[in-house]
Amino acid sequence: MTQRVEHTTVMDRLAIDDLVTGYAIAVDDGDWTAYRALFVPEGHVDYRSAGGIAGGVTDVADWLAEMMRRFPVRQHLIVNRRIGIELRDGGAPGDTATVQADYLNPMHLAGPQDAPPATGAGVHPGAAADPRPGVPADLHREHAGAITGASAAPNYTCAGRYAFAARRATEGWRLSEVVVHEKWRQLVPARD
């Protein structure tokens, strides 16, 4: 393998790893525009093993946007990433890749005092302007009570393994498929 091929392979691996990290951040932040942008237009997602749906990226992103309102606080950890890049003749990296990665996803369910999401430019009563740089204002407004830990709602954790498929596109590496294989879940009541 030449030094140039090795360099290309390392750069591809870093880009694919960044793609998976971008996926986790988009889901946790509720940034469904960024989520959609991570996929090729015909991308497919399958969350059925975790009680979700399967379908095209747009339909799944719309479903997630509604479903994740129930979980105002999310922290998606994707670890133990095994990246496999298709190799061309001669050992050069190809244009498709797979990633197998474990996930741990602790979330906080919305409680009765967690006000429903604001509509338009409204802000929940008592919610101040976002004091934390980098946190979208609507996320802070939406989840102000849960972020402070004031909610009595339970915590929910699920874990399992992702199977990602990616391919090289004009814009760089993009996801072509995401399949979740949930292994376990736990609901823990909040402490008084």
Side-chain angles (χ1 to χ4, degrees):
M1 195 179 285
T2 68
Q3 189 173 12
R4 184 177 190 167
V5 169
E6 288 174 355
H7 179 263
T8 301
T9 301
V10 168
M11 296 307 292
D12 282 341
R13 291 179 65 80
L14 289 171
I16 294 164
D17 188 72
D18 192 52
L19 183 66
V20 171
T21 298
Y23 170 89
I25 290 169
V27 172
D28 289 347
D29 290 352
D31 188 344
W32 309 118
T33 300
Y35 178 90
R36 289 178 184 92
L38 295 168
F39 288 84
V40 295
E42 66 278 7
H44 187 265
V45 186
D46 186 345
Y47 293 140
R48 290 178 295 181
S49 79
I53 67 169
V57 174
T58 299
D59 291 339
V60 172
D62 291 346
W63 175 82
L64 278 172
E66 185 61 33
M67 181 59 60
M68 289 301 177
R69 294 162 69 95
R70 298 175 186 173
F71 301 98
V73 178
R74 308 180 282 276
Q75 188 174 16
H76 211 115
L77 307 173
I78 302 179
V79 299
N80 301 333
R81 301 172 192 203
R82 177 174 285 161
I83 299 171
I85 301 174
E86 162 212 22
L87 297 179
R88 296 183 180 139
D89 291 337
D95 294 331
T96 61
T98 58
V99 180
Q100 174 184 302
D102 294 329
Y103 71 89
L104 177 66
N105 189 6
M107 299 182 284
H108 182 78
L109 284 159
Q113 75 280 12
D114 296 323
T119 56
V123 177
H124 296 291
D130 186 5
R132 297 163 300 138
V135 176
D138 61 334
L139 182 68
H140 178 70
R141 283 192 307 268
E142 222 173 287
H143 314 305
I147 289 171
T148 63
S151 179
N155 293 307
Y156 174 85
T157 303
C158 59
R161 181 164 289 157
Y162 276 111
F164 294 98
R167 76 169 187 242
R168 194 184 312 271
T170 307
E171 313 80 24
W173 286 93
R174 293 292 180 262
L175 296 169
S176 55
E177 183 175 51
V178 175
V179 179
V180 171
H181 302 282
E182 186 177 87
K183 293 184 177 185
W184 63 269
R185 65 176 71 173
Q186 179 181 34
L187 186 67
V188 178
R191 296 181 202 162
D192 293 330

